[in-house]
Amino acid sequence: MNPIDLDHVLTVLGAASWSTDEQSRARVTGALALTVYDGHTRDQGTPYLEHPLAIITLLATEIRVSQVETLLLALLHDALEVAPESEALLVQHLGAPFTGRLRAMTADHRLEQRPKAGGDETRWRFKQTALPPDDLLVRLADRVHNLRDLAASPNLDRRRRFLQSLEDFYLPLASAARDLSPHLEAMHALLHDEYVQHQQEVRP
């Protein structure tokens, strides 16, 4: 597989149909994504950037999201998780408000570059509950793609724990938010269907 370049990122975003200003912002955001995710890989050993690109495709094709800022947010949603030191660079090129949205989507222990401690899970769930609709949509799309990736994980216990967190938190969160927008309603249905399918796959 060829390395991901800026043209590929812009194609996945669908930026060719955007306005001139939106295309310019997409190029800046895409270049930052290539820089921030460079050298990082997922648990499966795949380049990390493949994950946000898959989420963009999911949002655009399965949920019918077309809002430019939402798709750009999806592109960088894990930037501060994998490279918290990139925050100043993101503020410089994309502004403090956009970067603040990324901070709100990132667990505190990741931002602070420390091991996860007691109370972090509760704080993380509170942060996600407080997300505005479009940002929550991206976070739930992240859950869907991670769920689909579970099939590639040899760790059955990890798969069960992931499904348990869906049952305990993410599905109730998605259910509570589904009346906020048609996109969130569609996302709730998708997440629920994926959960049911994978729950059956991991049963003894």
Side-chain angles (χ1 to χ4, degrees), residues 43-138:
D43 291 342
Q44 300 85 346
T46 54
Y48 204 99
L49 186 52
E50 291 182 5
H51 169 60
L53 291 177
I55 291 175
I56 290 167
T57 300
L58 185 160
L59 287 169
T61 63
E62 298 183 52
I63 308 298
R64 303 298 178 187
V65 174
S66 59
Q67 292 90 338
V68 169
E69 286 297 296
T70 302
L71 296 176
L72 296 181
L73 190 74
L75 180 60
L76 286 176
H77 78 278
D78 273 344
L80 294 179
E81 176 175 330
V82 303
E85 69 279 3
S86 67
E87 182 171 1
L89 183 68
L90 296 173
V91 170
Q92 178 185 352
H93 291 283
L94 296 175
F98 185 90
T99 307
R101 293 172 72 184
L102 296 177
R103 281 188 64 89
M105 297 175 68
T106 307
D108 290 346
H109 72 284
R110 299 288 191 183
L111 293 171
E112 297 165 9
Q113 303 182 59
R114 59 171 174 77
K116 194 172 183 179
D120 278 333
E121 182 64 25
T122 298
R123 284 190 289 272
W124 172 227
R125 291 188 175 193
F126 178 80
K127 285 183 77 170
Q128 291 176 96
T129 302
L131 290 173
D134 287 347
D135 304 47
L136 177 59
L137 185 68
V138 172

Side-chain angles (χ1 to χ4, degrees), residues 133-148:
D134 287 347
D135 304 47
L136 177 59
L137 185 68
V138 172
R139 179 50 64 199
L140 293 175
D142 173 71
R143 291 288 93 187
V144 171
H145 186 247
N146 285 336
L147 183 56
R148 291 172 176 176

Side-chain angles (χ1 to χ4, degrees), residues 29 56 85 91 109 116 154 158 163 172-173 178-179 188 198:
T29 309
I56 290 167
E85 69 279 3
V91 170
H109 72 284
K116 194 172 183 179
R158 176 177 175 271
L163 290 172
L173 177 62
R178 63 183 172 178
D179 291 335
H188 169 259
H198 285 271

